Amino acid sequence: MQDVNWIEMLGYLASIIIVISFMMKDIIKLRCLNGTGCLLFSLYGVLIGAWPVAAMNGFIAIVNIYHLFKIYLKKKHSLK
């Protein structure tokens, strides 16, 4: 029986989550899923020593969090 390479599986999981995120119509779901996938891909990049992969996906995750925060503030402000 072959051992499971957990780091490689993490990369596949991150890829699947990112692909699924692009199928979302709701921007909040898209950004949440995409941000999660990017964080996982960033972790994957760190674990394999691929710093450009880690940095780019970390940056995209931060962009997703920023936009989610803006959406949250807009909704909160419009409720007043």
Side-chain angles (χ1 to χ4, degrees):
M1 183 183 243
Q2 188 175 354
D3 288 334
V4 175
N5 183 342
W6 292 106
I7 295 173
E8 191 173 326
M9 295 303 293
L10 176 63
Y12 285 122
L13 176 63
S15 296
I16 290 167
I17 291 172
I18 288 173
V19 167
I20 291 171
S21 76
F22 288 121
M23 295 180 198
M24 299 290 115
K25 289 184 180 181
D26 182 347
I27 190 69
I28 294 173
K29 289 179 185 176
L30 184 150
R31 291 206 178 271
C32 286
L33 275 177
N34 191 269
T36 301
C38 287
L39 287 173
L40 291 175
F41 233 137
S42 188
L43 175 60
Y44 171 75
V46 168
L47 292 174
I48 66 168
W51 300 109
V53 171
M56 182 196 63
N57 281 285
F59 177 74
I60 294 170
I62 291 169
V63 169
N64 279 313
I65 292 167
Y66 169 77
H67 284 289
L68 284 168
F69 188 69
K70 278 181 49 176
I71 291 168
Y72 169 76
L73 288 179
K74 186 176 179 181
K75 282 186 177 184
K76 185 179 176 184
H77 194 264
S78 68
L79 292 176
K80 290 183 178 183

